[in-house]
Amino acid sequence: MSHTLGIRQAQKQKTRQALLEAALGLLEEQSLSSLGLREVTRAVGVAPTAFYRHFRSTADLGVALVEEALGSLHAMIRTTVTAADTGDERIARAVQLIAGHVAAYPAHVRFIARERHGGVQPVREAIRDQLVRFAEEVRDELAKDAVSEGWSDADLLMLAHLYVDQMLVTASLFLESLDAPQEEQERIRQVATRQLRLIGIGRRHWLD
Amino acid sequence: MSHTLGIRQAQKQKTRQALLEAALGLLEEQSLSSLGLREVTRAVGVAPTAFYRHFRSTADLGVALVEEALGSLHAMIRTTVTAADTGDERIARAVQLIAGHVAAYPAHVRFIARERHGGVQPVREAIRDQLVRFAEEVRDELAKDAVSEGWSDADLLMLAHLYVDQMLVTASLFLESLDAPQEEQERIRQVATRQLRLIGIGRRHWLD
DNA sequence: AATTCCAGAGAACAGTTGTTAACTGGGTGT
DNA sequence: ACACCCAGTTAACAACTGTTCTCTGGAATT
């Protein structure tokens, strides 16, 4: 099944990956809707027309980037939430996890935060769909918890979305503070921690 | 003081306003970083060079749009939060208020949601600054409440930011559902209501 | 009534864009 | 060894972009 793909398809995927990474880099200081096809190929060092061998348009490339970027966020969100339900020190650890991920993959986080509400419809939809799936996973994780006894499925999902959104907001704040004084990052860390704690408290008293 | 500005400056402000509104319309299906100067003037019906009489660049126009768009959000956020602290039916009313505002000024909401993390730095900063000021107002409003006794100023501000962010998330969801079946809007309304309720519960038990 | 001012028009600039077409040359299956 | 395939190239296209300079006509000032 895992057929060793020939040196031809290998080279193609290599170029494709180069296009994706070049685009991600160029998107640091602009949005996808202003990203030019030629701009990307120029950054990679291939002819403009080579672009069409991989993507129909830059919007198409954007959809591909969603998979790439959210694939890395996937692990973060899961581990974050599963750790965030209980004690305070575990919440703090979860926030630290977010900060670490932002520092490791800033371009991914930036892309998702920017294009989630961006000007390219197919990309918005792709991100929305993926985030819904994330929220469902988080809900399943929350359901395993003892605190979730007596909760309806819908309410667990609404809490899951609250967590996911809060995580993205926090990630975006960390991103903007990447080259700011460390005391600023510390401040963000503390606020995010307390916001998660407050949500956790609301969760524990939901069924009163 | 309120000098009746001559028919000259009046005409200028009229054109300026036309440029702003045309831009807001064009931004329905793209981001600011891809908005062209000529595109805007063409929509208004003036020469491209007339643009420079009002704005240095499209980024400059974007900053001006922030004032315009957040001016209308201003009232909404305040009334929403001041109503959201207590009983359930008041929370529901607050959510309905958000939905109404989104229906009344969809372009404003879209612009803020899109450009908050968009590709134009000065605009991002302008939005961030305004949202900080909003959060401070919300904090002052929260402080007046009986539930806030014993709260530190920092904690009130962190709750205020939580409310503001939650409001923007909800507004963006309503926006995307503008031409969706009404049952979808109803679903969003219900989830948002419960999320605000959960935050409110967390707030009441914060000092345990 | 004469003069200054200035929002907007007009024309032209070099540079960019997406897309089409025909071509090249090395990997691939027979 | 052969013929096919196809990722990437080259060249050219009309259309578009931001920006500069010069000009105009009516409002504003004196």
Side-chain angles (χ1 to χ4, degrees):
Chain A
M1 303 303 116
S2 81
H3 186 254
T4 307
L5 66 177
I7 105 172
R8 186 142 171 198
Q9 302 234 354
Q11 186 52 247
K12 179 173 183 181
Q13 294 236 7
K14 203 171 157 188
T15 316
R16 185 189 141 101
Q17 198 60 30
L19 288 170
L20 287 172
E21 281 169 19
L24 216 44
L26 290 167
L27 285 174
E28 185 166 343
E29 38 203 7
Q30 64 181 314
S31 328
L32 182 64
S33 82
S34 66
L35 183 67
L37 162 168
R38 299 182 95 108
E39 203 177 345
V40 180
T41 57
R42 192 186 312 131
V44 174
V46 298
T49 47
F51 186 91
Y52 292 105
R53 299 288 176 192
H54 303 274
F55 309 102
R56 208 178 303 265
S57 63
T58 55
D60 200 29
L61 176 144
V63 173
L65 274 179
V66 174
E67 315 289 322
E68 177 131 328
L70 276 184
S72 80
L73 283 185
H74 191 101
M76 179 198 81
I77 292 190
R78 266 191 58 133
T79 37
T80 300
V81 169
T82 58
D85 47 37
T86 44
D88 280 5
E89 81 286 347
R90 298 185 75 176
I91 288 183
R93 203 152 52 95
V95 173
Q96 207 62 28
L97 222 143
I98 298 178
H101 185 89
V102 173
Y105 307 97
H108 287 179
V109 176
R110 176 177 294 116
F111 176 75
I112 296 301
R114 183 160 297 171
E115 300 305 330
R116 183 188 187 187
H117 306 283
V120 184
Q121 204 203 29
V123 173
R124 280 202 310 270
E125 285 176 358
I127 294 178
R128 177 169 48 76
D129 290 353
Q130 290 281 355
L131 289 183
V132 165
R133 300 187 65 175
F134 277 8
E136 287 169 351
E137 277 191 45
V138 168
R139 173 203 55 189
D140 294 345
E141 213 63 42
L142 291 175
K144 296 178 185 171
D145 218 62
V147 200
S148 302
E149 263 186 89
W151 280 58
S152 76
D153 208 69
D155 279 351
L156 278 175
L157 196 56
M158 99 52 199
L159 177 61
H161 270 111
L162 190 57
Y163 271 129
V164 170
D165 285 334
Q166 175 62 21
M167 238 151 275
L168 286 180
V169 166
T170 302
S172 172
L173 281 173
F174 275 129
L175 182 66
E176 287 173 13
S177 77
L178 265 191
D179 33 32
Q182 207 204 338
E183 58 181 44
E184 170 70 2
Q185 305 182 22
E186 178 63 24
R187 203 185 57 79
I188 293 174
R189 198 189 60 75
Q190 201 161 32
V191 170
T193 302
R194 284 166 178 254
Q195 286 172 336
L196 278 182
R197 188 181 300 159
L198 188 142
I199 292 177
I201 294 176
R203 184 189 176 198
R204 275 192 290 279
H205 292 83
W206 180 248
L207 294 176
D208 296 355
Chain B
M1 300 300 118
S2 82
H3 185 256
T4 308
L5 67 176
I7 106 172
R8 185 138 172 200
Q9 302 237 350
Q11 185 52 247
K12 179 172 184 181
Q13 295 237 5
K14 203 171 158 189
T15 314
R16 186 190 140 101
Q17 198 61 28
L19 288 170
L20 288 172
E21 281 168 19
L24 216 44
L26 290 167
L27 285 174
E28 185 167 341
E29 39 202 7
Q30 64 181 313
S31 325
L32 182 66
S33 81
S34 65
L35 183 69
L37 162 168
R38 298 181 96 109
E39 203 177 346
V40 180
T41 57
R42 191 186 313 131
V44 173
V46 298
T49 48
F51 186 91
Y52 292 105
R53 300 286 177 195
H54 303 274
F55 309 102
R56 207 178 306 265
S57 63
T58 54
D60 200 28
L61 176 144
V63 172
L65 274 179
V66 174
E67 316 289 322
E68 178 130 328
L70 277 184
S72 80
L73 283 185
H74 190 100
M76 179 198 81
I77 292 191
R78 264 190 60 133
T79 36
T80 300
V81 169
T82 58
D85 47 38
T86 44
D88 280 5
E89 82 286 347
R90 299 185 73 176
I91 288 183
R93 203 153 52 95
V95 172
Q96 207 61 29
L97 221 142
I98 298 179
H101 185 89
V102 172
Y105 307 97
H108 287 179
V109 175
R110 176 177 293 117
F111 175 76
I112 296 301
R114 183 159 296 171
E115 300 305 330
R116 182 188 186 186
H117 307 284
V120 184
Q121 204 202 30
V123 174
R124 281 202 309 270
E125 285 176 358
I127 294 178
R128 178 170 47 77
D129 290 354
Q130 290 280 357
L131 289 184
V132 165
R133 300 187 66 176
F134 277 9
E136 287 168 351
E137 276 190 47
V138 170
R139 174 202 57 190
D140 295 345
E141 214 62 43
L142 291 175
K144 295 177 184 170
D145 217 63
V147 201
S148 302
E149 263 187 88
W151 281 58
S152 75
D153 209 69
D155 280 349
L156 278 175
L157 195 56
M158 90 68 191
L159 177 62
H161 270 111
L162 190 57
Y163 272 129
V164 170
D165 285 334
Q166 175 62 19
M167 238 150 274
L168 285 181
V169 166
T170 301
S172 172
L173 281 173
F174 275 130
L175 182 66
E176 286 172 15
S177 77
L178 266 191
D179 33 31
Q182 208 204 338
E183 58 182 42
E184 169 71 1
Q185 306 181 21
E186 178 63 24
R187 204 186 55 79
I188 293 173
R189 198 190 59 75
Q190 201 161 32
V191 170
T193 302
R194 284 166 179 254
Q195 286 171 337
L196 278 182
R197 188 182 300 158
L198 189 142
I199 293 177
I201 294 175
R203 183 188 177 201
R204 277 194 289 281
H205 292 83
W206 179 250
L207 296 176
D208 297 354

